[in-house]
Amino acid sequence: MLTTFNDAHSRLLQPGAIVIPRAAGVEAFLIESPDVDSQVRVGDEVDGFDLSDLNAFSPADYMQYELSRTSYRPLTNKFVPLVLDLRNQTRSIKSRSRVRASRSGVAVAVAWWFVLELDEQTQISMSPEQGQGSYPHWKQAVQYLGRPLEIRTGQMLDVTVEHDMQTIYFTAQVETPGEQ
């Protein structure tokens, strides 16, 4: 989608043209979810066999989920790791967010969704908090962490998001004391 916006900026739009949507933000939180975890990881032992090495092949990309129909528990408050100003050409970006754990648990993924800013007054959010109805197209996305991350209430987490013009990638780790 961003390459299309960039092409429009370079070939079609006049300076000062109105662009709709004018911005796309990403909201996210880390989640604990046995449902999500079971979709990408095998148990450490199955019928007496150690299958834990298979977890190295868990998907690195995100998957779409309708979180209102999935059992999950947010372990952090919602945060905004990425905002793209679509009124200007966009390029690849990498940013870091420091996020405080709001409860203890085992984080298995970063759940995220888009918030489109159409103009100064109008936004469209794909947040799971927007209701229990079915989403016609865009759902939320879940980026697996690769391995479960045990966190405690109040711990600071280092969450990195990278957008390469095609895909959004997240990583998360617990900050070590003295690190910022």
Side-chain angles (χ1 to χ4, degrees), residues 6-119:
N6 283 349
D7 181 57
H9 279 289
S10 65
R11 294 187 316 112
L12 304 172
L13 297 176
Q14 295 294 320
I18 295 172
V19 177
I20 300 173
R22 68 188 218 158
V26 170
E27 292 181 341
F29 46 53
L30 274 75
I31 62 168
E32 177 177 71
S33 174
D35 290 352
V36 170
D37 194 43
S38 70
Q39 297 294 312
V40 296
R41 293 176 41 80
V42 296
D44 289 339
E45 189 174 299
V46 178
D47 284 337
F49 293 95
D50 180 3
L51 300 180
S52 60
D53 287 344
L54 293 175
N55 290 320
F57 301 104
S58 294
D61 285 346
Y62 62 86
M63 301 290 288
Q64 283 194 341
Y65 273 83
E66 198 163 337
L67 286 177
S68 65
R69 299 178 189 268
T70 305
S71 175
Y72 73 96
R73 188 171 73 111
L75 298 177
T76 64
N77 291 328
K78 182 172 48 179
F79 62 100
V80 180
L82 184 65
V83 176
L84 302 169
D85 181 355
L86 301 175
R87 296 171 294 182
N88 299 298
Q89 285 200 355
T90 304
R91 59 178 169 252
S92 298
I93 186 170
K94 183 175 184 177
S95 67
R96 177 180 171 213
S97 299
R98 293 185 72 228
V99 180
R100 185 176 306 278
S102 56
R103 57 176 60 122
S104 296
V106 179
V108 297
V110 176
W112 60 273
W113 54 91
F114 287 106
V115 177
L116 300 177
E117 185 178 308
L118 303 183
D119 61 24

